[in-house]
Amino acid sequence: MKIINRASLLVMVTVVSYGGRVLAHHSFAAEFDGQKPVTLKGTVVKWEMINPHGWITIDVTEPDGKTAQWMIETSNPNGLMRLGWSKRSLKPGDEITVEAYRAKDGSNTANAARVTLADGRKMFAGSSGTPAGTPGASSQEK
């Protein structure tokens, strides 16, 4: 009987511990607009290959000369590794181009579809909910 009680307690602790993370996960359509592609050229500030999604922070020079910081969501680490990404794929100071979809709330947040790395390689970085294809010529240039 003691073993069953301990096992039940372990299951409850696990559910409580991870429940918030599961509930916090969102679909692409909940946060991003597949009708608002954007192309961002900027300098990498930070690259985080973390769960549940990776994040690229970049500084983008706006047309008025001011710098705006953008947060770019990518796929999860496992998905990124399958696509050829590693924790060393990006480093601060790298100049990259990101083809992405803007956040619905208008913030400087986007969901990556494709990233052109500093060496010229083009890599898919989107999550499973990213719209089919990659943002095209109609993308807003920043």
Side-chain angles (χ1 to χ4, degrees), residues 4-68:
I4 293 172
N5 285 339
R6 286 183 184 173
S8 296
L9 179 62
L10 180 61
V11 168
M12 286 190 293
V13 167
T14 302
V15 168
V16 170
S17 297
Y18 291 100
R21 292 183 200 168
V22 171
L23 294 173
H25 191 261
H26 60 269
S27 70
F28 173 89
E31 191 170 347
F32 302 99
D33 189 339
Q35 301 302 310
K36 292 189 178 175
V38 62
T39 299
L40 302 162
K41 293 181 182 183
T43 305
V44 173
V45 173
K46 188 190 311 187
W47 165 226
E48 299 172 286
M49 202 168 164
I50 57 175
N51 278 314
H53 298 281
W55 288 94
I56 305 169
T57 304
I58 62 173
D59 281 341
V60 176
T61 302
E62 299 285 339
D64 63 5
K66 293 182 181 177
T67 300

